Structure formats: structure tokens, C-alpha cells
Amino acid sequence: MASALENFVNSVRTHSSSGLFEDLATHLLECDELLNKNWSILDNVLETLNVSQHSLGVLYVLVAKFNCAANLNLDADAIFTLFKDFIEQCDVYQVQLAAHVYYELCHLCIYALNVLAAAINQIRSSESQLTPIHADLCKLSLKSKCFKVALKYLDTDITSITTASETRVHKPDPNGDAEYFLLYYYYGGMIYTAVKNFERALYFFEACISTPAMAMSYIMLEAYKKFILVSLILHGKIVPIPKYSSQVISRFMKPIAQVYHAVAIAYATASSEELRAVINKFSETFLRDNNMGLVKQVATSLYKKNIQRLTKTFLTLSLSDVASRVQLPTAALAEKYILKMIKSGEIYASINQKDGMVIFKDDPEKYNSSEMFLKIQQDMDKTMNLIKKINVMEEDIILNPMYVKKAIGSQDEDITSQQAKPYSCDPID
């Protein structure tokens, strides 16, 4: 083993045995180049270190090793085993001192959902804290089409964020932190769309596109396209974007996403034929954006919305009339749509198979059952808990020294500008 690496190992072992982990974390910032140069003999270093006792040193070695995996001809199984063993055995306090390196390691090892979930649980301080690893977990969930593990994290509302820039790193990369933040909400929206939870999907896409920005992000642009389509499926129109959103959306995203606005315009006419014409016209764009499946769901939702409109006008209607009015090709297809909508609770109706008539009914829910009372009580409890969280977060912001300094600075600027304001005329006059 080269003498420089021997010094590295001795430093790690000495600092760790003395409990000087903060000093070790600072020292290791200078060791990246050394480890990368000696990538061919890093296995020897790993053999001399214990994962639980020397977590900081092993962390840096693994990142250097995985960055050079192509040179080492390491297969995925070998990388996965090393990564899994480290996550299971590492000391949490030590890796928190080099969280930016820990995140980098996870970004390099997007292999197993359960291991990434364990990595998140190791580093976060609470269940509602977002880490850069969340985006990796969602990405792997989409690739594997296995959403159960990711949904456990997505269903928890985020109240705090941990970033790589918060740790002792020489050159913080806030753009990298922003990327993983945006990807989490973008991938999360895609997962919720895949499981047909459109309300939650819309919220995630909205969070992505309303993130403060000085320039357009490709992630935000793709989220905006899906935001439009999910809005149409859920509400039949494009939901207004929050007022606090960046001007980037109106200046750049809307012009680039004109094709999707054309879909919304056609949707507003309630004409399925016109909507299909727009979809066929821009099919290449939708295929290139990998949004054709979602666009087809938009077309399907228009049929459903038109059927729902009929329930407000008619008490009974034949299946053939329904098909004609909503522009479906056959009465059998209209029956299929109606049965699905009855099953999902989107409409209340029954079909007389003998004469092919549809009887539309009112909502049978009287809102006076014990189950409904319990649901209302649970919703009220959730609302009260949310208010408490908002109050705590507001107090933290008000007491934050950076906020106080900025607020006082703004007030001083306002006072100065008012004092320096010139008169428009001679006060003697």
C-alpha cells in the first residue's frame, strides 16, 4: 500500500479511536484526489477499516471506488453488496458530518428500493424531512414500476429539507440541491399519476413548477406539461398557478408548451372530435415527450365529463342517445363507460338492460351516518395539526437571525427612500 494511503488509514483510525470525528470530517475533504489516484488498491484500504467504527473513512473510499467502477470492472452485484453493508452498519453520527458525500454515494448506487429507503431513514432527522435521496428512491420506483415503498414517503408531507450545501463542503452546489428537490416532486407526481391519484399528482407538479427560479429548468418545463394534462383530467380545465410562482412560467414555459395549451382549448369546447383532432395533429410531440398515455387519459376524461353533464340535464336517457351526445361510436361503449363511472362513484345511475335506458340518480349520501361523522372528525383533526405545524414553522422563520436581519434591512431601505423622496413642487407655493 502506498505511503500516502497508509497515512490516510492511520489518520482515519487515530481520529476515530479518539472520537475526533469533526476534525476527521474536515481532514477528509482534502483526500478525494488521493483516493481517486489510487483507485486500483482501494480494496486493501477497505480491509483495514471497520464500517461501524470508521464510517467516515469507509464512506470516502466507497465513493472513490464507485466513481472508478468502470475501470475496476465491478459488476452491479458487487457494488450493491458493498453499498448495502455500509448502509446497514454505518454510524449515523459520522455520516451526518459528511452528508454531502453520503448523498453522492446513494446517487451512485440506485439499485434497491429497500436499501435506499434505509439510507433515507439513517440520515433524516424526522419523517417529514426531505433529503436528496428521496429523488433517487422515486426514480428507481418509476423504473421498476414498484410504487409501494416510494408512496410511503410521498404520502408524508414535507416540513423541512436537508441539503448537501448544509454540510462542511468546500464548494456548495445549491443548483444540485435544487435539482434533487425538483426531481422529487416531478417523479412523485409521475408516481401518483401512475396510481391514478390525480389530486395528489397535481399538487406535486404544482410544487415543482411554483418553486422560486430565476431561469427555466427543464424539469419544471416537463412538470408543467404534465400539470396541464392532470388539471384537465381532474378539473376539466387548467388550474390557476399560485400567484407566488416565478415569472419564468408565463415568459418561457407557456410559449414552449403551446401544444398542451391547444389540448386545453380543445377540451374546453367539450367536443371529443375536436380534441381527437388536436391529439392526432400533435401526436409526434406527445410521443417524444412520453406523454401520449396521459393525453389518452385526457381524451377519456372528456367522455366522462360529458356524461356527468348529462346527469344534470336528464333523468333518463337511452344508451344510444348517450353515445350520440358524448360522441362515442357505439351504445355498447357508452354502457361500458357508465358502468365504470357508477363503480367508481363518479355518477349515480342504473341501467335497464331490457330497454337500454339509463336512469340518472341523486347522490344517496345524506351525510348523517356515523361513518361520515368519523370522517369529518378525522379531517378536522388533520386540519388542526396542520395549523399547529404552520404556526411552529412561522415562529421559526420569524426568529431566524437571517430573516430578522433581512426584514430590518428592508425597513431601513423603505425609511431611507421615503426621507429622500423629492418634492414635486415648491412647498412655499
Side-chain angles (χ1 to χ4, degrees):
M1 187 183 298
S3 58
L5 278 183
E6 289 177 355
N7 292 334
F8 170 84
V9 172
N10 291 334
S11 178
V12 170
R13 294 171 69 90
T14 302
H15 282 82
S16 298
S17 62
S18 303
L20 302 174
F21 296 115
E22 292 190 10
D23 293 341
L24 177 60
T26 303
H27 170 69
L28 290 176
L29 290 171
E30 309 292 340
C31 296
D32 289 341
E33 186 177 352
L34 169 66
L35 294 173
N36 290 328
K37 282 182 178 179
N38 295 277
W39 56 267
S40 59
I41 54 175
L42 291 179
D43 285 336
N44 298 336
V45 177
L46 289 175
E47 290 176 1
T48 62
L49 299 176
N50 180 278
V51 173
S52 58
Q53 296 177 15
H54 313 118
S55 297
L56 271 170
V58 174
L59 175 60
Y60 272 84
V61 172
L62 287 178
V63 169
K65 184 180 179 68
F66 293 164
N67 276 324
C68 302
N71 296 327
L72 294 168
N73 294 321
L74 285 178
D75 60 5
D77 290 338
I79 293 176
F80 170 70
T81 301
L82 288 170
F83 177 58
K84 178 174 178 292
D85 291 344
F86 178 80
I87 295 300
E88 291 176 348
Q89 301 173 32
C90 70
D91 178 64
V92 176
Y93 173 70
Q94 291 187 50
V95 297
Q96 285 178 339
L97 295 173
H100 62 287
V101 186
Y102 183 82
Y103 299 146
E104 184 180 354
L105 177 68
C106 294
H107 298 330
L108 293 169
C109 303
I110 309 177
Y111 293 117
L113 290 170
N114 290 334
V115 180
L116 283 175
I120 291 172
N121 296 337
Q122 286 273 47
I123 201 70
R124 66 179 180 175
S125 59
S126 67
E127 290 188 357
S128 60
Q129 186 177 56
L130 178 65
T131 74
I133 313 171
H134 281 73
D136 298 326
L137 180 70
C138 293
K139 180 180 179 179
L140 185 57
S141 295
L142 285 167
K143 282 189 173 182
S144 62
K145 297 182 180 179
C146 180
F147 307 126
K148 185 177 180 180
V149 176
L151 284 170
K152 175 185 174 183
Y153 295 87
L154 292 169
D155 289 341
T156 303
D157 289 324
I158 300 300
T159 58
S160 64
I161 303 171
T162 178
T163 65
S165 298
E166 294 174 349
T167 59
R168 50 181 73 221
V169 56
H170 282 314
K171 297 179 180 179
D173 183 14
N175 293 330
D177 292 327
E179 177 185 356
Y180 289 110
F181 176 86
L182 294 174
L183 285 173
Y184 168 73
Y185 281 100
Y186 177 62
Y187 290 149
M190 292 177 69
I191 290 173
Y192 278 121
T193 301
V195 298
K196 310 293 185 183
N197 188 344
F198 294 115
E199 186 171 348
R200 190 73 174 167
L202 188 66
Y203 164 72
F204 267 64
F205 289 136
E206 181 184 285
C208 183
I209 65 177
S210 60
T211 300
M214 298 300 292
M216 187 182 71
S217 162
Y218 184 73
I219 302 169
M220 294 174 70
L221 174 61
E222 293 305 306
Y224 181 65
K225 295 173 182 178
K226 289 179 171 61
F227 173 82
I228 293 173
L229 298 176
V230 173
S231 292
L232 295 175
I233 293 173
L234 196 59
H235 299 289
K237 61 181 181 180
I238 301 178
V239 176
I241 296 169
K243 293 181 180 179
Y244 55 79
S245 300
S246 171
Q247 293 296 319
V248 170
I249 295 177
S250 57
R251 289 181 181 177
F252 301 106
M253 292 189 189
K254 286 184 178 179
I256 295 176
Q258 279 301 316
V259 170
Y260 293 85
H261 281 277
V263 173
I265 293 171
Y267 196 102
T269 65
S271 170
S272 298
E273 292 182 357
E274 188 168 336
L275 179 60
R276 283 198 302 272
V278 172
I279 293 173
N280 292 332
K281 181 179 179 181
F282 300 111
S283 59
E284 290 185 6
T285 301
F286 299 135
L287 287 170
R288 185 176 64 249
D289 292 343
N290 293 317
N291 285 330
M292 181 54 83
L294 197 54
V295 169
K296 288 180 179 179
Q297 292 184 62
V298 171
T300 299
S301 73
L302 182 56
Y303 289 123
K304 291 182 177 181
K305 289 274 190 301
N306 286 336
I307 291 174
Q308 287 176 330
R309 291 189 183 98
L310 295 179
T311 65
K312 299 177 182 179
T313 307
F314 300 95
L315 292 175
T316 59
L317 207 61
S318 68
L319 287 171
S320 57
D321 282 342
V322 172
S324 175
R325 291 176 181 273
V326 301
Q327 299 176 352
L328 283 167
T330 64
L333 191 57
E335 181 180 6
K336 184 178 179 181
Y337 268 90
I338 291 171
L339 289 174
K340 284 185 177 180
M341 293 177 72
I342 293 172
K343 186 177 180 180
S344 63
E346 294 174 86
I347 62 170
Y348 303 96
S350 61
I351 299 176
N352 188 328
Q353 297 289 348
K354 186 176 180 180
D355 54 14
M357 295 296 292
V358 182
I359 299 109
F360 297 117
K361 302 175 182 179
D362 294 329
D363 184 353
E365 179 60 62
K366 301 302 180 183
Y367 299 96
N368 57 0
S369 63
S370 57
E371 291 82 4
M372 182 55 64
F373 175 78
L374 180 61
K375 184 180 184 306
I376 293 174
Q377 186 65 44
Q378 290 173 343
D379 290 344
M380 289 175 62
D381 291 341
K382 287 181 181 178
T383 303
M384 294 301 296
N385 289 332
L386 182 60
I387 292 173
K388 289 179 181 178
K389 287 182 180 179
I390 291 174
N391 290 336
V392 170
M393 293 171 69
E394 184 179 17
E395 184 176 350
D396 290 341
I397 293 173
I398 293 174
L399 297 177
N400 187 299
M402 292 180 64
Y403 173 81
V404 173
K405 183 178 180 180
K406 187 173 182 180
I408 293 175
S410 299
Q411 292 177 3
D412 291 342
E413 289 177 2
D414 292 341
I415 293 172
T416 303
S417 63
Q418 290 175 5
Q419 291 176 344
K421 186 176 180 181
Y423 287 101
S424 58
C425 61
D426 190 341
I428 297 177
D429 296 337

Short mmCIF file of all heavy atoms in Angstrom, two decimals, residues 64-96:
data_model
loop_
_atom_site.label_atom_id
_atom_site.label_comp_id
_atom_site.label_asym_id
_atom_site.label_seq_id
_atom_site.Cartn_x
_atom_site.Cartn_y
_atom_site.Cartn_z
N ALA A 64 -15.05 6.99 -3.90
CA ALA A 64 -13.94 6.96 -4.87
C ALA A 64 -13.95 5.66 -5.67
O ALA A 64 -13.73 5.66 -6.89
CB ALA A 64 -12.61 7.12 -4.14
N LYS A 65 -14.24 4.56 -5.00
CA LYS A 65 -14.25 3.25 -5.65
C LYS A 65 -15.39 3.16 -6.67
O LYS A 65 -15.19 2.70 -7.80
CB LYS A 65 -14.41 2.16 -4.58
CG LYS A 65 -14.35 0.73 -5.11
CD LYS A 65 -14.51 -0.25 -3.96
CE LYS A 65 -14.48 -1.68 -4.45
NZ LYS A 65 -13.15 -2.08 -4.96
N PHE A 66 -16.56 3.62 -6.29
CA PHE A 66 -17.72 3.53 -7.20
C PHE A 66 -17.59 4.51 -8.37
O PHE A 66 -18.09 4.25 -9.47
CB PHE A 66 -19.01 3.79 -6.44
CG PHE A 66 -19.34 2.71 -5.43
CD1 PHE A 66 -20.27 2.93 -4.43
CD2 PHE A 66 -18.69 1.48 -5.48
CE1 PHE A 66 -20.57 1.94 -3.51
CE2 PHE A 66 -18.98 0.49 -4.55
CZ PHE A 66 -19.92 0.72 -3.57
N ASN A 67 -16.94 5.64 -8.12
CA ASN A 67 -16.70 6.58 -9.23
C ASN A 67 -15.77 5.98 -10.28
O ASN A 67 -15.82 6.35 -11.46
CB ASN A 67 -16.09 7.88 -8.70
CG ASN A 67 -17.16 8.85 -8.21
OD1 ASN A 67 -18.24 8.93 -8.78
ND2 ASN A 67 -16.86 9.57 -7.14
N CYS A 68 -14.93 5.06 -9.85
CA CYS A 68 -13.99 4.39 -10.77
C CYS A 68 -14.44 2.96 -11.08
O CYS A 68 -13.62 2.11 -11.46
CB CYS A 68 -12.59 4.36 -10.17
SG CYS A 68 -11.91 5.98 -9.78
N ALA A 69 -15.72 2.68 -10.90
CA ALA A 69 -16.24 1.32 -11.08
C ALA A 69 -15.97 0.79 -12.49
O ALA A 69 -15.72 -0.40 -12.69
CB ALA A 69 -17.73 1.28 -10.77
N ALA A 70 -16.03 1.68 -13.48
CA ALA A 70 -15.81 1.25 -14.87
C ALA A 70 -14.38 0.74 -15.05
O ALA A 70 -14.15 -0.28 -15.73
CB ALA A 70 -16.08 2.40 -15.83
N ASN A 71 -13.42 1.42 -14.41
CA ASN A 71 -12.02 0.98 -14.51
C ASN A 71 -11.78 -0.33 -13.77
O ASN A 71 -10.94 -1.14 -14.15
CB ASN A 71 -11.10 2.07 -13.94
CG ASN A 71 -11.16 3.35 -14.73
OD1 ASN A 71 -11.36 3.33 -15.94
ND2 ASN A 71 -11.01 4.48 -14.06
N LEU A 72 -12.54 -0.53 -12.68
CA LEU A 72 -12.37 -1.73 -11.87
C LEU A 72 -13.15 -2.92 -12.41
O LEU A 72 -13.03 -4.03 -11.89
CB LEU A 72 -12.81 -1.45 -10.43
CG LEU A 72 -11.96 -0.45 -9.64
CD1 LEU A 72 -12.66 -0.06 -8.36
CD2 LEU A 72 -10.60 -1.05 -9.32
N ASN A 73 -13.99 -2.68 -13.41
CA ASN A 73 -14.86 -3.72 -13.96
C ASN A 73 -15.75 -4.34 -12.89
O ASN A 73 -16.00 -5.56 -12.87
CB ASN A 73 -14.03 -4.83 -14.64
CG ASN A 73 -13.29 -4.32 -15.87
OD1 ASN A 73 -13.83 -3.52 -16.63
ND2 ASN A 73 -12.05 -4.75 -16.04
N LEU A 74 -16.22 -3.51 -11.97
CA LEU A 74 -17.12 -4.00 -10.92
C LEU A 74 -18.51 -4.24 -11.50
O LEU A 74 -19.03 -3.41 -12.26
CB LEU A 74 -17.22 -2.98 -9.79
CG LEU A 74 -16.04 -2.85 -8.84
CD1 LEU A 74 -16.32 -1.74 -7.83
CD2 LEU A 74 -15.79 -4.16 -8.11
N ASP A 75 -19.11 -5.36 -11.15
CA ASP A 75 -20.47 -5.61 -11.60
C ASP A 75 -21.45 -5.02 -10.58
O ASP A 75 -21.09 -4.64 -9.47
CB ASP A 75 -20.73 -7.10 -11.81
CG ASP A 75 -20.54 -7.92 -10.54
OD1 ASP A 75 -20.31 -7.30 -9.48
OD2 ASP A 75 -20.63 -9.16 -10.62
N ALA A 76 -22.71 -4.96 -10.98
CA ALA A 76 -23.73 -4.33 -10.14
C ALA A 76 -23.89 -5.06 -8.81
O ALA A 76 -24.13 -4.43 -7.77
CB ALA A 76 -25.06 -4.30 -10.89
N ASP A 77 -23.75 -6.38 -8.82
CA ASP A 77 -23.92 -7.15 -7.58
C ASP A 77 -22.86 -6.78 -6.55
O ASP A 77 -23.15 -6.66 -5.35
CB ASP A 77 -23.84 -8.65 -7.89
CG ASP A 77 -25.06 -9.14 -8.67
OD1 ASP A 77 -26.09 -8.44 -8.60
OD2 ASP A 77 -24.97 -10.18 -9.34
N ALA A 78 -21.60 -6.62 -7.01
CA ALA A 78 -20.52 -6.27 -6.09
C ALA A 78 -20.75 -4.88 -5.48
O ALA A 78 -20.56 -4.67 -4.27
CB ALA A 78 -19.18 -6.32 -6.82
N ILE A 79 -21.16 -3.93 -6.32
CA ILE A 79 -21.43 -2.57 -5.84
C ILE A 79 -22.59 -2.59 -4.85
O ILE A 79 -22.53 -1.96 -3.79
CB ILE A 79 -21.74 -1.64 -7.03
CG1 ILE A 79 -20.51 -1.46 -7.91
CG2 ILE A 79 -22.24 -0.28 -6.54
CD1 ILE A 79 -20.76 -0.63 -9.15
N PHE A 80 -23.64 -3.33 -5.21
CA PHE A 80 -24.82 -3.38 -4.35
C PHE A 80 -24.48 -3.97 -2.97
O PHE A 80 -24.92 -3.46 -1.93
CB PHE A 80 -25.92 -4.22 -5.00
CG PHE A 80 -27.06 -4.54 -4.09
CD1 PHE A 80 -27.93 -3.54 -3.69
CD2 PHE A 80 -27.25 -5.83 -3.61
CE1 PHE A 80 -28.99 -3.82 -2.83
CE2 PHE A 80 -28.30 -6.12 -2.76
CZ PHE A 80 -29.17 -5.11 -2.37
N THR A 81 -23.67 -5.03 -2.95
CA THR A 81 -23.30 -5.67 -1.68
C THR A 81 -22.54 -4.71 -0.78
O THR A 81 -22.82 -4.59 0.43
CB THR A 81 -22.47 -6.94 -1.94
OG1 THR A 81 -23.23 -7.85 -2.74
CG2 THR A 81 -22.10 -7.62 -0.63
N LEU A 82 -21.54 -4.01 -1.36
CA LEU A 82 -20.77 -3.05 -0.58
C LEU A 82 -21.65 -1.92 -0.05
O LEU A 82 -21.54 -1.50 1.10
CB LEU A 82 -19.64 -2.47 -1.45
CG LEU A 82 -18.47 -3.40 -1.76
CD1 LEU A 82 -17.57 -2.78 -2.82
CD2 LEU A 82 -17.67 -3.70 -0.49
N PHE A 83 -22.53 -1.42 -0.90
CA PHE A 83 -23.43 -0.33 -0.53
C PHE A 83 -24.40 -0.77 0.57
O PHE A 83 -24.60 -0.06 1.56
CB PHE A 83 -24.19 0.14 -1.77
CG PHE A 83 -25.21 1.22 -1.50
CD1 PHE A 83 -24.83 2.42 -0.93
CD2 PHE A 83 -26.55 1.03 -1.82
CE1 PHE A 83 -25.76 3.43 -0.69
CE2 PHE A 83 -27.48 2.02 -1.57
CZ PHE A 83 -27.09 3.22 -1.01
N LYS A 84 -24.99 -1.93 0.39
CA LYS A 84 -25.96 -2.46 1.36
C LYS A 84 -25.30 -2.66 2.73
O LYS A 84 -25.86 -2.27 3.76
CB LYS A 84 -26.54 -3.78 0.85
CG LYS A 84 -27.54 -4.46 1.79
CD LYS A 84 -28.14 -5.67 1.10
CE LYS A 84 -29.10 -6.40 2.02
NZ LYS A 84 -28.40 -7.05 3.15
N ASP A 85 -24.12 -3.25 2.74
CA ASP A 85 -23.42 -3.49 4.00
C ASP A 85 -23.08 -2.18 4.71
O ASP A 85 -23.18 -2.07 5.94
CB ASP A 85 -22.13 -4.29 3.76
CG ASP A 85 -22.41 -5.72 3.33
OD1 ASP A 85 -23.57 -6.18 3.52
OD2 ASP A 85 -21.49 -6.37 2.79
N PHE A 86 -22.69 -1.18 3.92
CA PHE A 86 -22.35 0.11 4.52
C PHE A 86 -23.58 0.77 5.15
O PHE A 86 -23.52 1.26 6.29
CB PHE A 86 -21.74 1.05 3.48
CG PHE A 86 -21.41 2.41 4.03
CD1 PHE A 86 -20.26 2.61 4.77
CD2 PHE A 86 -22.27 3.48 3.82
CE1 PHE A 86 -19.97 3.86 5.31
CE2 PHE A 86 -21.98 4.73 4.35
CZ PHE A 86 -20.83 4.93 5.09
N ILE A 87 -24.71 0.78 4.44
CA ILE A 87 -25.93 1.41 4.95
C ILE A 87 -26.39 0.72 6.23
O ILE A 87 -26.83 1.37 7.18
CB ILE A 87 -27.05 1.38 3.88
CG1 ILE A 87 -26.65 2.22 2.67
CG2 ILE A 87 -28.36 1.88 4.47
CD1 ILE A 87 -26.39 3.68 2.96
N GLU A 88 -26.27 -0.60 6.27
CA GLU A 88 -26.73 -1.35 7.44
C GLU A 88 -25.83 -1.18 8.65
O GLU A 88 -26.29 -1.25 9.78
CB GLU A 88 -26.84 -2.84 7.08
CG GLU A 88 -27.96 -3.16 6.09
CD GLU A 88 -27.97 -4.62 5.68
OE1 GLU A 88 -26.98 -5.33 5.99
OE2 GLU A 88 -28.96 -5.06 5.05
N GLN A 89 -24.52 -0.94 8.42
CA GLN A 89 -23.56 -0.96 9.53
C GLN A 89 -22.98 0.40 9.89
O GLN A 89 -22.33 0.54 10.93
CB GLN A 89 -22.41 -1.91 9.18
CG GLN A 89 -22.83 -3.34 8.91
CD GLN A 89 -21.67 -4.19 8.40
OE1 GLN A 89 -20.52 -3.98 8.76
NE2 GLN A 89 -21.98 -5.15 7.53
N CYS A 90 -23.18 1.41 9.07
CA CYS A 90 -22.50 2.69 9.30
C CYS A 90 -23.02 3.39 10.56
O CYS A 90 -24.15 3.18 11.01
CB CYS A 90 -22.67 3.62 8.09
SG CYS A 90 -24.34 4.24 7.85
N ASP A 91 -22.16 4.25 11.12
CA ASP A 91 -22.51 5.06 12.28
C ASP A 91 -23.19 6.35 11.81
O ASP A 91 -22.60 7.13 11.04
CB ASP A 91 -21.25 5.39 13.08
CG ASP A 91 -21.55 6.28 14.28
OD1 ASP A 91 -22.28 5.83 15.17
OD2 ASP A 91 -21.05 7.42 14.30
N VAL A 92 -24.41 6.58 12.27
CA VAL A 92 -25.22 7.71 11.78
C VAL A 92 -24.54 9.04 12.06
O VAL A 92 -24.50 9.92 11.19
CB VAL A 92 -26.63 7.67 12.41
CG1 VAL A 92 -27.43 8.90 11.97
CG2 VAL A 92 -27.36 6.40 12.03
N TYR A 93 -24.01 9.20 13.26
CA TYR A 93 -23.38 10.48 13.61
C TYR A 93 -22.23 10.82 12.67
O TYR A 93 -22.09 11.96 12.23
CB TYR A 93 -22.88 10.45 15.05
CG TYR A 93 -22.08 11.67 15.43
CD1 TYR A 93 -22.69 12.90 15.58
CD2 TYR A 93 -20.70 11.58 15.62
CE1 TYR A 93 -21.95 14.03 15.91
CE2 TYR A 93 -19.95 12.70 15.95
CZ TYR A 93 -20.58 13.92 16.10
OH TYR A 93 -19.85 15.03 16.42
N GLN A 94 -21.44 9.82 12.35
CA GLN A 94 -20.28 10.07 11.48
C GLN A 94 -20.72 10.48 10.07
O GLN A 94 -20.18 11.45 9.52
CB GLN A 94 -19.40 8.82 11.41
CG GLN A 94 -18.68 8.49 12.70
CD GLN A 94 -17.69 7.36 12.53
OE1 GLN A 94 -16.86 7.38 11.61
NE2 GLN A 94 -17.76 6.37 13.41
N VAL A 95 -21.67 9.77 9.49
CA VAL A 95 -22.07 10.09 8.11
C VAL A 95 -22.80 11.42 8.03
O VAL A 95 -22.77 12.09 7.00
CB VAL A 95 -22.92 8.95 7.49
CG1 VAL A 95 -22.13 7.67 7.40
CG2 VAL A 95 -24.21 8.74 8.27
N GLN A 96 -23.44 11.83 9.14
CA GLN A 96 -24.10 13.13 9.13
C GLN A 96 -23.09 14.27 9.03
O GLN A 96 -23.43 15.35 8.53
CB GLN A 96 -24.94 13.30 10.41
CG GLN A 96 -26.23 12.49 10.39
CD GLN A 96 -27.02 12.62 11.67
OE1 GLN A 96 -26.47 12.98 12.72
NE2 GLN A 96 -28.30 12.33 11.61
#
